Structure formats: C-alpha cells, structure tokens
Amino acid sequence: MKTDVEELTPTRVKLTVEVPFDELKPNLDKAYKEISQQVRIKGFRPGKVPAPLIDKYVGRGAVLQEAVNDALPELYGRAVEESEIFVLGQPDVEVTELEDGTQFAFTAEVDIRPKFEVPDYDGLEVVVDDAEVTDEQIEETLGNLRERFASLTTAERAVEEGDFATVDLVATIDGERVEDASTSGYSYEVGSKSAIEGLDDALVGLAAGEDATFTGALVGGEHAGEDAEITATVQSVKVKNLPDLDDEFAQLASEFDTIDELRDDVRTRLGRQVKAQQLSDARDKALEALLEKIDIPLPDKVVDEEIGRRNQQLEQQLQMAGMSKEDYLKDEEKSEEDFDNDVANAARLAVKGGFVLDQLAVQEELNVENEELSEYVVSQAMQMGVQPQQLAEYLTQNNQLPAIVSEVLRTKALNLVVEHVVVKDESGNVIDVEAVQRELNGETVQAESDAADETDAAEAVDETDEAAETEETAETGETAETGETAETGETAETGETAETGETAEAAEDAAETATDEPAAAEAKDAQDKDA
C-alpha cells in the first residue's frame, strides 16, 4: 500500500492511497460469503451459492462495492498510522480508482491537529485572589443557615413583601381555563420574583380570601409565551421567623454547643473553600499563561462543533431552569451578537487548550495507570450520583474509555504545568500549591464506602486494561467538554420553591474538561431502573 500526504492547510490534509488489488482478496471472500447468505437461487442453499453465479445474478460490481466498503476503514487507519498524523473527526473519502483485478485507490480529506511543540513553561507567574475570609462572608453563611431553619406563622393582615402567601392561581386565555397553568395551595414568597411576572405586585395588599387578576405571559406548558388572564386568590398569609443566632441555634443546626464554636467552624470551612478556589484559579491561569505563549491554527470544523455543543448545553440548562435564551441574555445584559462572540472565543480557547495539553502529554511521555482511571471513575460517579461499577460498565459498553483516558492525561499535563509555575496572591505572597493541596486533602475524611466503591470501579476498569493501554498517548482528537450544570439553591423547611443558580458557565469556562453529561444521565437512569 502506498500513501501520499498533501497538506491542504496547516489543519487539513489529503491522503492519496493506492492499494494492490490482491490485498482486497479477504474482503472479496467475505463479500461473496455474505451475499451468498442473502440471495436465493434455485438448487442452492443459503450460503452455498458459488461465486460465478453471484457474479451472474447479482453482479461483480455489487461484490466489489461490498468488499471496498468493508476494506476502507482498515486501509484508512493504516494510512493514518503510516503518515504519523493526528486526525480529528471523520474523513471525507472518495474512491478514485477501482479496476477489477489490478488497482484500487482512494483519497481521504481530514482535519488534523497542527504540528507544534509546547515551549518551556518553567517559571511562568500567575496571580490569584487572596485567600481571605471576611466577617461579612461568615455572617452571610450563618444567615443562609438560619433560613434553612426558619418557621412560618400565620399573620392576620394583608400580604407584604417578604411574606409567604398560600394562593390559588387560575389562568384563562379567551375565557378558557388553562389547566397546566392553574394550581391551588401554592406557597409563594412574595417579592422573590420567582414565578410569573406580575404575581408579586398583584399579591401585595391582599388579605386572606381576597383575589386580584392581572395579565402575564405564561412561562411553560402548551401556551408558553402567550398572555393569559391570571386570577390569584390568597388562602393565607404567613410570616417567616428566623431563629436567633445563639447557643440554642448552634445546637439545633450543628454539632456544636455554642454559637462561637459554630462561627469558628464556618470560618474554617470558608477558609478551605477559598484555598480550593485559589488552586482552581491557579490551574486556569496557568493554562491561560501557557496558551498565550503558543500560536497555532485551529480547524474550523472542530471549533464549530465545539460552539454547537456549548450552545446545545446552554439550551438544555435553560430548559432545566425554566428560562428562555432571551431572559438569560437580559439577565446577563448581553446582546445576541456579544453572546455568540463570547461562546466562539471560549470554544476556540477550549480547542486550543485541548491541543496543547495533548501535545504536552506526548512530549512529557505521560501515561495513564489503571489506578488513575479507577479514581477518576469513582470521582465522577460520586458527582453524578451513580454507582462507580455501573458508570464503569456504561463507559466500557459505549466505548467512552478513550475519551476518559484523554481526559485523565490532560489533567495530568495541566497538573505538570501548575507544578512549574509560580503562584502568587494579590498581596504578593508565593503560594505553595502542593502544600495547600496536601492540607486540603488531609482535612478530607473519606467514608469506608468510598474505598469499597473504588475497589468495585477498579475491578470494572481492570476488565478494560487492554483498551485503555492503546489510548495512553492522548490521541483521541476530542476537544475537552465542560460539565457545568445549573445549581439549585437551598430553601427553608417551609415548602418554598428553590432558587435556580447560574446556567451558562459553559460559555465562559475556556478549557475546563469533564465527562459527557448524557452519559451521566443514562447511567443514572439505568441505576434507577435497577432499583
């Protein structure tokens, strides 16, 4: 087999492959056998039809086409391997010559990762925020804790902002009731603006038994976006009572006896959080600093796919949050054009970051051990709420291991960069990243079940050793995927609806990587069915 490589652009090549016809013999034999099983010719059992009769009744051309289709994947793979190129995505293949008994040739155009070397990164300097915990942060945290232990008492007065009103809602369009937009006994925090627009203004000033009608656009259901006449009837008015920040509250809300002990614990926990945030920022900024030293072309198709993936992820998250894209852009005070530019820039940075980390893994001869795969699976399973064994089986069955190996390799490559940069806080203090990491790890207590889960995952991953070992060079060509999801806020134990947090971090995080969310959802569904 002869392969010529023509560089169309720095990120796209054309392979011209010439194959001696006799190399197709195994594929021709296989084609005859499969067609023999399908045709029905009098006097011959299925699978026993001779080749000459197949040529006569089916046609030699059909056999050649079957053989070529069967041979192309392997021949293309050999051509890529011999050419020592890092391909991205699927090729555009065209058969250019097929002369029965003499010659077979084809071309394949495909995107490739640009060839480059990662420059020296030792001594790069990055600056992160100070690991400061303020009194305001402590009081805010305690305030959120008080909210969780709040109680409601009935108030014999009209509704005021901040009250919890139990209401019946009836929505009508052109006089007809909209069932999926009507409800009864709905507990709503007045002033939270977490329901249909106009409800807050309508409720203020109403006493129990009174009602008000207003016009508002429905946010869900069959008539989403349509204006409806909505009648809100107040059943009861309740006032939220927050417990005092005293020793009694500390004993109720924690394992501590005094409020001072609880406050000290909050300060310690917040301190660990800001240090963990420092490490996260150090990783992001270390990669950003490295990327600034490298200028490489990016394949348009790969960037476009990343943009599409991010937009799809945003759409899913907005649906989960019950928001439209228009509402999101309004909240973010962004135009459609600005948002698209932000997504495109983030996508390009993510693709570039993936390329750089992949190349660094190759240069530094990094590899992935089975123990590291096990740890990764356990960690992801805990975040997804599924059993490690079940996630490992899903990844294996759906051929996701190459992507996981690539993910772990990129993480190791980024860790290597962080080890060689100088990290300072805004006050000018040098941060010992390894010491901070050890401190955080030392304060993390793992349950015995975690160890058992890791053992289960290790056994599952061990079954795929051979597949994993073939992918240790990070040559998967897949861009890093973000895995952010909308966060759900906590509420007081009063039946109120939870507040929804940010939904579009995917458009802002440049090179953060994570496992595929649909994989998590399907694995979780499988676990639920088993249960």
Side-chain angles (χ1 to χ4, degrees), residues 73-203:
E74 180 186 356
L75 294 173
Y76 168 72
R78 285 168 53 190
V80 168
E81 185 177 355
E82 292 174 3
S83 304
E84 297 182 346
I85 56 177
F86 188 107
V87 299
L88 306 170
Q90 297 299 316
D92 296 325
V93 178
E94 179 183 358
V95 175
T96 56
E97 185 178 0
L98 182 57
E99 296 181 9
D100 195 355
T102 58
Q103 185 75 17
F104 167 54
F106 67 92
T107 62
E109 291 189 16
V110 65
D111 288 325
I112 62 169
R113 193 180 70 193
K115 295 181 179 180
F116 66 98
E117 293 290 321
V118 178
D120 181 35
Y121 48 89
D122 193 40
L124 283 175
E125 186 173 310
V126 299
V127 179
V128 298
D129 292 337
D130 291 336
E132 179 184 7
V133 177
T134 65
D135 292 339
E136 289 77 12
Q137 290 174 315
I138 295 174
E139 295 309 313
E140 180 182 358
T141 302
L142 289 174
N144 292 335
L145 188 60
R146 291 176 70 199
E147 291 282 351
R148 294 179 58 186
F149 287 87
S151 60
L152 298 178
T153 56
T154 301
E156 300 297 334
R157 58 169 174 74
V159 175
E160 298 178 3
E161 189 166 305
D163 290 344
F164 280 81
T166 301
V167 298
D168 295 337
L169 297 175
V170 176
T172 61
I173 296 179
D174 296 333
E176 295 187 9
R177 179 183 174 115
V178 181
E179 293 297 336
D180 59 9
S182 303
T183 186
S184 61
Y186 175 47
S187 179
Y188 179 69
E189 184 179 8
V190 182
S192 66
K193 300 187 183 302
S194 59
I196 190 169
E197 187 175 355
L199 179 60
D200 295 272
D201 293 336
L203 291 177

Side-chain angles (χ1 to χ4, degrees), residues 8 345 357 370 425 464 490 504 518:
L8 303 177
N345 291 334
L357 293 178
N370 291 327
D425 61 22
T464 60
E490 295 179 328

Side-chain angles (χ1 to χ4, degrees), residues 201-231:
D201 293 336
L203 291 177
V204 173
L206 297 181
E210 296 180 342
D211 62 67
T213 301
F214 63 97
T215 300
L218 301 179
V219 297
E222 182 180 353
H223 297 277
E226 297 183 31
D227 286 339
E229 294 293 320
I230 302 169
T231 300

Side-chain angles (χ1 to χ4, degrees), residues 344-390:
N345 291 334
R348 282 190 287 270
L349 200 57
V351 172
K352 181 180 180 181
F355 287 173
V356 170
L357 293 178
D358 287 344
Q359 178 60 26
L360 182 58
V362 173
Q363 285 181 213
E364 299 292 347
E365 298 181 350
L366 302 179
N367 52 42
V368 177
E369 303 295 337
N370 291 327
E371 293 78 7
E372 293 171 319
L373 273 180
S374 298
E375 291 174 2
Y376 184 89
V377 170
V378 170
S379 173
Q380 293 301 315
M382 292 177 63
Q383 293 181 29
M384 299 172 186
V386 300
Q387 293 297 322
Q389 174 75 15
Q390 192 163 15

Side-chain angles (χ1 to χ4, degrees), residues 308-317 482-484 506 517:
R309 188 195 62 76
R310 287 168 177 260
N311 282 325
Q312 183 180 25
Q313 185 183 52
L314 172 65
E315 183 179 346
Q316 293 172 347
Q317 292 173 343
T482 57
E484 296 79 14
E517 290 181 353

